[in-house]
Amino acid sequence: MKPAADHEPPADDTARPRRRLSLPDLTWLPLLLGLGLWAYALPRIGFRTMGDHGLLDRLPAVYYVSLLVLTGGFLLGLRRAGTAPWWPAAYCVGLLFALKAPPAVLYDSVRYPWASKHDAVIDMLLANGELRPNAALSGNMSAYDQWPGFFSLNAALVRAFGVDSAASYLNWAPVVLGLLLMPVLVLLYRTFTEDWRLVWTAVWIFQLANWVGQDYLAPQGFAYILHLTVLAVVLRHFVLPGSAGRLRDRTWLDPAAATVPPPTGRRQRAVCVLILAPLIVAINAAHQLTPVMLCASLFALSLTRRYRNYGLLVVAGLLMLTWDLTMGRPLFTETLSTLRESIGELTRNSRAGYAGQLTGPGPELGGQASVVMVLAIAVLAAVAVFARRRLTRSALPLLLVSVAPLPLFAVNDYGGEMLFRVYLFGLPGAAFFAAAALVPATGAIRGTKGTKGTSARAKAVRRRIAAVALPVALVALAAGFLPSYYGKEKMYYTAPVETAMVTRAIDRAPDGALILAATGSFPRALHRYDQLEHWFFAEQELPENEKMLADPARYLADGIPPGTRAYVVLTRTQDIYTAGEGLLPPGGFSALRSRLSASPLFTVVEEHPYGVVLAYRPRS
């Protein structure tokens, strides 16, 4: 007799569980495609013939497509961020290159004409090998001799690389500083969240919102990285014992939140202070404002029970005062004398730039886009602060650090740049909370009692909203970044022939001569700044400039000290800048140039379409 099993009907193959097709991992494909499209677009960017909208009307359509592809690839990489965080990291690096590398790759001159003054400081250090902090240098250059750390570092780099000057790598600063800043931001964000999606979305938003142009080769960008590094160490290693309370209990935390870092004892914190002291000294040696921002942030942290450590705050304050009263004493005392006029003037201190008003399609669009960007980041961050209160409670120190610079609006305008600096120092925290508004907590990497009690329908709704809101927000922020960063690009690119003309004019001037220009925003404006005097006569209120234009030759002659050799340098870059910033009325620069050229008080030394150089010829 056959076994009973032989009499059973054959099993139905359709009842067997089907194997899921294992699709190949294509997360890398949008990255290569996006960067390939970007590389294809680069030689088609007509930067030499920029129109009224700056670089925006010279970027080919394929460039915009490359940004969309990179954004799509980043969203794809976020799905695997928990197990493969290197994919969103690679896309963040790709976005940095796509957004800020075009000028470095394409331009045959220094981007941001005023950045050439930093090259001039480095050249002076290499030539003279000394600093003169007490010398009254022209063109507001004394500050660079009083805070020389950044320039001394670059002088060493120029020697180490064997290049002619820092101008050879100056345009790459936004990319290099962005790469250095990325791991610091990750360390900062990982202190408050375990969700890699939230971390990399915050980094992505930070890059899109960082349009203020403070990451060129300047002390601010360097000191900013050190500032955030100090804060990252403090937030991870200065937690007081017994201060966390419920913030180490996952049932009281947002699903994406990280528990408070382990507490440290006095000895450990003292060691950390010793480790951080050289970084704080470097910040003080490099920049005037960043130490103030650091002290404000440390003070804000001391208001919390978690970080009520006054030792580091006292050390940072003493180091700042020590530098201000020694190397920086001349400018520090001068600033103190002006505080009586500026303190409490919120409206004036929060103004942007000089006294003009942006004019022209590109500058106006850039100004409007930057305002919209600020509001968008603020609204998104506010949504997360109120909608995800558990995350806000655990990440409160980051929120406090973000709002700590705001009181500085009541102190000083920092030469019309306080608005940009406050925004820059508040951006890391704002980007984190803006990302928290877009990355739903329902997708957190581990569950808690709070999430178990949430209905499946509510989770599904949140996922669907995030699936739409996140890509829309990222595309919108990219669209806002481009005019904010490149809308005024016509002011920032200078043809090499103009730079060569300025260099020849300044090299011809004898020591002690006076260089006059409408504004200091032109290439090589402060070349030989330690040997010459400067007067940028149009950097004032528009009504005063309109009076000057009535008889510019007499206006300038009255301001030139008797017996002084003086030269007027007017360039195309100055024309574009004074028009875009609203310093001169329409046609004002052309009238200025023609009237000075026709005046018997000035004689033309050199003239071509990119500018004119005139020598002052006083009447005997």
Side-chain angles (χ1 to χ4, degrees):
M1 180 179 290
K2 294 183 180 181
D6 291 345
H7 294 282
E8 294 179 359
D12 186 2
D13 291 339
T14 59
R16 296 175 181 174
R18 294 182 179 180
R19 291 184 179 180
R20 296 182 63 181
L21 295 176
S22 58
L23 297 176
D25 180 14
L26 299 179
T27 312
W28 55 269
L29 183 59
L31 180 62
L32 292 184
L33 179 60
L35 292 179
L37 292 172
W38 175 78
Y40 176 82
L42 278 183
R44 292 160 178 81
I45 299 175
F47 64 94
R48 292 189 180 88
T49 58
M50 282 184 278
D52 292 336
H53 287 88
L55 207 59
L56 295 180
D57 53 8
R58 293 297 180 267
L59 293 172
V62 68
Y63 176 83
Y64 297 102
V65 174
S66 71
L67 295 183
L68 289 175
V69 172
L70 287 173
T71 302
F74 173 74
L75 294 170
L76 183 64
L78 279 185
R79 296 187 173 188
R80 303 183 55 206
T83 57
W86 55 83
W87 281 123
Y91 277 98
C92 284
V93 172
L95 178 72
L96 176 65
F97 273 85
L99 292 178
K100 296 188 174 179
V105 176
L106 297 175
Y107 285 11
D108 46 13
S109 65
V110 170
R111 184 177 187 254
Y112 296 135
W114 55 85
S116 62
K117 67 182 179 182
H118 299 154
D119 188 31
V121 178
I122 298 167
D123 287 344
M124 189 275 292
L125 276 174
L126 290 170
N128 300 333
E130 64 177 356
L131 300 169
R132 295 181 298 165
N134 296 311
L137 297 173
S138 180
N140 296 323
M141 297 298 284
S142 299
Y144 296 124
D145 274 12
Q146 294 168 32
W147 280 268
F150 173 77
F151 304 105
S152 300
L153 173 62
N154 276 273
L157 291 177
V158 169
R159 288 272 176 85
F161 293 156
V163 295
D164 294 334
S165 69
S168 59
Y169 60 81
L170 193 148
N171 286 348
W172 283 100
V175 176
V176 174
L177 293 177
L179 290 174
L180 293 175
L181 186 59
M182 207 172 294
V184 180
L185 289 174
V186 171
L187 184 63
L188 199 64
Y189 296 151
R190 285 288 288 175
T191 305
F192 300 104
T193 181
E194 296 181 350
D195 191 346
W196 278 107
R197 300 170 310 134
L198 180 53
V199 169
W200 288 115
T201 303
V203 173
W204 188 275
I205 291 176
F206 177 90
Q207 293 189 125
L208 292 177
N210 187 16
W211 50 264
V212 291
Q214 296 296 334
D215 54 359
Y216 64 104
L217 193 71
Q220 177 66 96
F222 171 72
Y224 185 64
I225 294 176
L226 298 182
H227 165 84
L228 290 182
T229 301
V230 171
L231 291 182
V233 173
V234 170
L235 292 171
R236 295 184 73 89
H237 299 290
F238 277 73
V239 178
L240 291 179
S243 62
R246 294 173 174 175
L247 296 180
R248 287 205 175 91
D249 184 351
R250 294 233 48 104
T251 61
W252 290 95
L253 289 174
D254 182 278
T259 58
V260 175
T264 52
R266 288 186 178 181
R267 181 176 297 180
Q268 291 172 297
R269 294 195 297 273
V271 171
C272 285
V273 169
L274 293 176
I275 294 172
L276 292 178
L279 292 182
I280 299 174
V281 171
I283 294 172
N284 281 276
H287 198 237
Q288 310 98 294
L289 183 63
T290 305
V292 180
M293 295 290 192
L294 178 60
C295 288
S297 298
L298 293 176
F299 176 77
L301 288 176
S302 70
L303 298 177
T304 67
R305 186 180 172 213
R306 219 181 307 175
Y307 296 100
R308 194 165 293 156
N309 295 287
Y310 299 110
L312 184 61
L313 175 60
V314 171
V315 169
L318 289 176
L319 289 175
M320 179 179 66
L321 287 175
T322 300
W323 191 278
D324 289 344
L325 295 175
T326 53
M327 284 289 291
R329 182 181 179 87
L331 185 61
F332 179 66
T333 54
E334 179 184 336
T335 302
L336 288 179
S337 65
T338 63
L339 287 183
R340 182 178 299 178
E341 301 176 0
S342 62
I343 197 163
E345 296 290 336
L346 294 176
T347 303
R348 188 176 69 177
N349 293 342
S350 60
R351 67 181 173 89
Y354 293 111
Q357 184 176 358
L358 295 177
T359 58
E364 289 176 358
L365 178 62
Q368 294 165 359
S370 62
V371 171
V372 172
M373 289 284 284
V374 172
L375 293 177
I377 296 296
V379 168
L380 286 174
V383 168
V385 167
F386 291 104
R388 299 182 68 171
R389 287 188 293 273
R390 291 189 178 186
L391 180 63
T392 302
R393 190 177 299 115
S394 61
L396 179 62
L398 187 57
L399 180 62
L400 291 175
V401 166
S402 297
V403 300
L406 290 176
L408 291 178
F409 278 135
V411 179
N412 194 269
D413 69 343
Y414 199 66
E417 293 190 2
M418 186 61 77
L419 176 65
F420 302 119
R421 306 305 171 96
V422 168
Y423 173 76
L424 178 65
F425 280 87
L427 184 56
F432 175 83
F433 285 101
L438 298 170
V439 177
T442 52
I445 56 177
R446 71 169 87 167
T448 65
K449 292 181 181 179
T451 57
K452 289 179 181 178
T454 305
S455 67
R457 180 177 299 178
K459 290 183 179 181
V461 170
R462 291 180 184 179
R463 289 194 186 97
R464 284 195 292 267
I465 293 175
V468 175
L470 180 58
V472 169
L474 296 188
V475 171
L477 290 174
F481 172 89
L482 293 174
S484 301
Y485 194 71
Y486 286 126
K488 298 165 65 176
E489 195 68 18
K490 194 175 181 180
M491 300 182 192
Y492 304 155
Y493 170 74
T494 303
V497 291
E498 179 183 326
T499 304
M501 183 200 75
V502 174
T503 304
R504 287 192 301 270
I506 295 180
D507 282 340
R508 281 194 296 260
D511 288 358
L514 176 63
I515 303 297
L516 296 90
T519 174
S521 293
F522 65 98
R524 306 285 283 175
L526 291 159
H527 173 50
R528 294 180 58 206
Y529 72 93
D530 57 326
Q531 303 167 18
L532 303 171
E533 298 295 322
H534 301 84
W535 179 19
F536 304 131
F537 54 84
E539 293 181 352
Q540 56 188 358
E541 300 285 345
L542 179 59
E544 186 64 23
N545 282 332
E546 290 175 335
K547 294 178 183 178
M548 177 267 294
L549 288 174
D551 188 358
R554 175 50 54 193
Y555 182 92
L556 297 183
D558 290 344
I560 298 174
T564 301
R565 297 282 297 275
Y567 300 86
V568 179
V569 180
L570 301 176
T571 67
R572 178 177 176 270
T573 304
Q574 294 178 52
D575 185 3
I576 297 170
Y577 185 87
T578 54
E581 293 289 338
L583 297 177
L584 293 176
F589 191 88
S590 178
L592 172 68
R593 174 173 173 169
S594 60
R595 290 169 186 170
L596 288 178
S597 299
S599 171
L601 292 173
F602 295 89
T603 181
V604 176
V605 176
E606 183 177 354
E607 184 174 18
H608 57 66
Y610 281 93
V612 61
V613 179
L614 306 108
Y616 175 52
R617 187 174 60 185
R619 292 177 180 176
S620 57

